[in-house]
Amino acid sequence: MTRPRKPQHGLALVNAIFLLVVLAALGAYMVSVGGVQQATTTQALIAARVNLGAKSGLEWSINRVISPSPPTTCFSSPTSFALSGSGLQDINVAVNCSATGHVVGPTTYYVYYLTSTATHGTAGNPDYAARRMEAAVSNVPN
């Protein structure tokens, strides 16, 4: 004589718990990926702003040594300033200048070596960025 089988219960519960764990892990992964994407976008924006800050410092220094007539010496170096304007808050720029004179016939020509360094934030923090640009300009005619 065979015994009648009892129906099995609880298999659906095991499947439901497994599915819940998998979905929770997938949700946690999606949240972490979203946070990384946001941080990457923010850091790229800060890097672009700092790059523009270094470029503006270099252009400012070129303007100082070339316009209206080139001086025989550089401006006081280093010169530091904070940028203002839309999107450039918290960008600090330091500009250095050195000049050398070269005598060609009766005329002395000057070569100016310019360095512009822009920073945002404090070194060691996640939002820290720094860019450095250099240029050499002179008053030698073309």
Side-chain angles (χ1 to χ4, degrees), residues 108-120:
T108 302
Y109 297 107
Y110 293 92
V111 177
Y112 304 94
Y113 301 97
L114 307 167
T115 303
S116 174
T117 305
T119 58
H120 176 274

Side-chain angles (χ1 to χ4, degrees), residues 57-77:
L58 195 59
E59 290 176 358
W60 175 85
S61 61
I62 290 170
N63 186 42
R64 290 288 303 259
V65 298
I66 297 299
S67 298
S69 63
T72 57
T73 60
C74 285
F75 49 85
S76 64
S77 191

Side-chain angles (χ1 to χ4, degrees), residues 17-92:
I17 290 174
F18 175 76
L19 186 61
L20 240 121
V21 168
V22 169
L23 288 177
L26 186 60
Y29 172 75
M30 296 295 280
V31 167
S32 70
V33 167
V36 168
Q37 286 178 340
Q38 181 181 2
T40 302
T41 303
T42 301
Q43 290 170 345
L45 178 62
I46 291 171
R49 290 173 53 207
V50 170
N51 191 45
L52 289 173
K55 187 175 181 178
S56 67
L58 195 59
E59 290 176 358
W60 175 85
S61 61
I62 290 170
N63 186 42
R64 290 288 303 259
V65 298
I66 297 299
S67 298
S69 63
T72 57
T73 60
C74 285
F75 49 85
S76 64
S77 191
T79 299
S80 298
F81 52 89
L83 297 179
S84 60
S86 179
L88 296 176
Q89 302 85 351
D90 302 326
I91 305 293
N92 298 309

